[in-house]
């Protein structure tokens, strides 16, 4: 399709401490005992997109991610791993690898996306409309399990900044307005000229920006070059493209006037332009309409650009691993309602127990659970809606509910773990009780301790 594919795999995200570390960058966090990045790579491979640039923040993280890719995908994918500085944002990461980008169109995918929407559908919509950007939107996930145990610890309160306010045209193909992140907590202002011209604009708050975009490369690079302060695709580049879509070809000069408070200079033209744009949304000349001159007659040619959306159907699974809550939710989903994404075969009991795992007498592993290779459990244990990693040693009378336990974890007798994430090489001594906690790699929790809503990690 002549799309270059860029996967933005992040580094050691602050939102995911203590789950991430120098040893385990975000891209390698386990989802059902597989690195989250594997879901993105296989999602692309299934669409025959096999030539990829994977962008990782930090040299160390890039080496680890590159090493894992080269061993796991040898002879399957052609992947170039590019290291960029930490904390430069998604737009900054693309700016840093600009010299690699040569195709007419660029498909940008977040490395934390777990999804079954074919990227080819987004690419096809982008080409069909000859858009400057096409963003994939999906239903915003409802966070947290249905039963007690939030699995999110301190992260479980819903933050309004997570939501988007999105304005669509009546055909639901064109993006007319977007407010993301912190903007949502402020008063939202929509230009009257847009509302007058469109007649109606559908405002949606139930959609999530999946962070999968198709961009026209020339337009993307023009913005990245001229707007050096832009750091985020979602919060800077996309809203900018939406605001400026009716003002000549990217019209950086006119859009600059808007940012300086001189919006009235262009609002009269906008009114005519947008009503024509919406009336001609199916027309091939959508982006080459003429705006009327100041006297209402003599037209002068003004190119426009189009910002489009592809809205995934509600029966598709789409989530981003961008918080501790999301990490827990996605792990649970991939061995539950979205088990088709896991790549594993489930037993007659609707769970996954590796053939090398050992269970003591009267120990039960419920449906929608996973027990990894070489793990051993003592007698009278109970596991519900949880993922347990490889080579774990679990004593007797241990209860695990709504939790994720990574590899090489030792759990003593009589422990109770609910709604928690236990990282690799952790040791829980006897009779530890954890509820809604995160325990960082290598931490030792002393016998008889009880914690609720805590983040425990080595200093």
């Amino acid at each position: 399709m002549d799309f270059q594919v860029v996967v933005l795999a992040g580094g050691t995200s602050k939102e995911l401490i203590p789950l991430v570390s120098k040893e385990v960058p975000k891209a390698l966090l386990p989802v059902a005992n597989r690195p989250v990045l594997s879901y993105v790579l296989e999602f692309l491979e299934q669409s025959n997109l096999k030539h990829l640039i994977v962008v990782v923040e930090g040299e160390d993280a890039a080496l680890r991610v590159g090493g894992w890719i080269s061993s796991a995908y040898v002879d399957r994918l052609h992947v170039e791993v590019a290291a960029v500085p930490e904390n430069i944002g998604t737009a900054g990461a693309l700016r840093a690898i600009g010299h690699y980008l040569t195709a007419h169109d660029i498909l940008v995918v977040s490395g934390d996306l777990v999804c079954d929407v074919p990227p080819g559908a987004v690419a096809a919509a982008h080409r069909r409309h000859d858009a400057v950007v096409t963003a994939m939107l999906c239903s915003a996930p409802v966070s947290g399990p249905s039963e007690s145990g939030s699995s999110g610890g301190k992260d479980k309160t819903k933050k309004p900044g997570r939501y988007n306010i999105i304005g669509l045209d009546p055909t639901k193909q064109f993006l007319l307005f977007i407010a993301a992140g912190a903007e949502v907590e402020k008063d939202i202002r929509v230009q009257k000229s847009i509302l007058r011209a469109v007649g109606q604009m559908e405002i949606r708050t139930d959609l999530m920006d999946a962070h999968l975009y198709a961009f026209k490369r020339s337009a993307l690079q023009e913005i990245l070059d001229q707007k050096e302060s832009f750091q985020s695709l979602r919060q800077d580049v996309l809203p900018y493209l939406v605001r400026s879509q009716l003002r000549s070809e990217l019209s950086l000069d006119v859009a600059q006037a808007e940012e300086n408070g001189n919006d009235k200079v262009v609002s009269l033209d906008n009114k005519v332009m947008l009503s024509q744009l919406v009336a001609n949304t199916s027309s091939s000349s959508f982006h080459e309409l003429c705006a009327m001159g100041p006297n209402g007659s003599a037209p002068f040619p003004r190119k426009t650009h189009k910002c489009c959306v592809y809205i995934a159907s509600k029966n598709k699974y789409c989530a981003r691993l961008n918080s501790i809550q999301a990490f827990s939710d996605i792990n649970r989903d991939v061995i539950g309602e979205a088990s088709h994404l896991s790549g594993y075969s489930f037993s007659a009991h609707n769970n996954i127990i590796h053939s090398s795992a050992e269970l003591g007498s009267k120990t039960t592993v419920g449906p929608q659970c996973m027990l990894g290779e070489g793990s051993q459990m003592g007698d009278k244990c109970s596991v519900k809606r949880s993922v347990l990693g490889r080579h774990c040693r679990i004593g007797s009378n241990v209860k695990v509910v709504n939790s994720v336990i990574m590899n090489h974890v030792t759990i003593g007798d009589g422990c109770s773990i609910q709604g928690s994430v236990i990282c690799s090489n952790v040791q829980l001594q006897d009779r530890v009780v954890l509820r809604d906690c995160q325990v960082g790699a290598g931490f030792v929790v002393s016998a008889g301790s009880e914690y609720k809503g805590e983040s425990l990690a080595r200093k």
Side-chain angles (χ1 to χ4, degrees), residues 54-74:
V54 173
V55 184
V56 184
E57 292 185 12
E59 295 281 351
D60 288 352
L63 283 172
R64 289 180 188 277
V65 171
W68 168 74
I69 291 174
S70 57
S71 62
Y73 291 91
V74 65

Side-chain angles (χ1 to χ4, degrees), residues 7-8 64 99 106 109 141 145 156 184 211 213 222 255 326 378 393 411:
V7 178
L8 299 178
R64 289 180 188 277
H99 55 289
I106 310 293
V109 188
K156 64 190 172 204
V184 175
H211 223 290
Y213 309 111
E222 185 181 346
R393 297 288 176 269
I411 299 176

Side-chain angles (χ1 to χ4, degrees), residues 24-46 68 72-73 76-77 111-115 321 327 330-331 334-335 338-346 352 370 372 387-390 404-407:
V24 184
K26 179 180 178 179
L28 301 184
L29 276 178
V31 169
N33 293 339
R34 282 171 47 189
V36 65
L37 186 58
S38 70
Y39 292 84
V40 174
L41 298 184
E42 290 181 20
F43 154 86
L44 293 167
E45 184 183 33
Q46 284 162 13
W68 168 74
Y73 291 91
R76 282 172 59 185
L77 297 174
D112 62 11
L113 184 64
V114 179
C115 168
L321 198 165
F327 174 81
I330 293 169
N331 264 283
V334 165
I335 52 167
S339 59
H340 62 286
L341 288 169
S342 70
Y344 297 106
S345 299
F346 283 70
I352 307 157
M370 181 170 191
V387 175
L388 281 68
R390 300 178 183 89
V404 180
I405 293 172
M406 298 188 197
N407 302 331

Side-chain angles (χ1 to χ4, degrees), residues 119 121 126 140 181 219 222 238 254 321 348 355 385 395 455:
H126 183 72
E222 185 181 346
L238 184 60
V254 182
L321 198 165
S355 57
R385 298 179 305 283
S455 180

Side-chain angles (χ1 to χ4, degrees), residues 34 75 131 224 297 316 402 444 456:
R34 282 171 47 189
D75 301 330
L224 294 177
S297 56
K316 293 289 187 183
N402 277 336
V444 178
L456 310 172

Side-chain angles (χ1 to χ4, degrees), residues 33 35 62 70 103 213 274 283 290 306 310 323-324 342 364 370 403 457:
N33 293 339
S70 57
Y213 309 111
L274 189 49
S283 154
C290 291
K306 287 180 289 186
Y310 176 86
S323 67
I324 291 172
S342 70
T364 59
M370 181 170 191
S403 295

Side-chain angles (χ1 to χ4, degrees), residues 96-215:
I97 62 150
H99 55 289
Y100 287 111
L101 305 179
T102 55
H104 184 270
D105 292 299
I106 310 293
L107 196 67
V108 180
V109 188
S110 177
D112 62 11
L113 184 64
V114 179
C115 168
D116 58 3
V117 181
V122 181
H126 183 72
R127 284 282 166 86
R128 186 166 66 249
H129 294 300
D130 188 29
V132 157
V133 62
T134 302
M136 185 171 98
L137 306 176
C138 56
S139 297
V142 178
S143 214
S146 53
E147 297 176 48
S148 64
S150 82
S151 79
K154 292 174 180 173
D155 190 48
K156 64 190 172 204
T157 51
K158 300 254 184 31
K159 299 181 180 70
R162 294 265 166 89
Y163 299 99
N164 298 307
I165 294 179
I166 289 165
L168 303 174
D169 79 300
T171 70
K172 298 183 179 60
Q173 296 177 90
F174 297 97
L175 186 58
L176 303 176
F177 178 83
I178 185 163
E183 288 179 274
V184 175
E185 296 172 28
K186 304 174 189 169
D187 288 342
I188 297 297
R189 298 188 177 201
V190 181
Q191 290 166 292
K192 282 183 184 175
S193 55
I194 288 183
L195 293 175
R196 283 196 207 104
V198 179
Q200 70 182 89
M201 175 163 67
E202 184 174 327
I203 295 286
R204 300 282 292 270
T205 58
D206 61 333
L207 294 172
M208 176 182 92
D209 179 347
H211 223 290
L212 191 158
Y213 309 111
F215 284 104

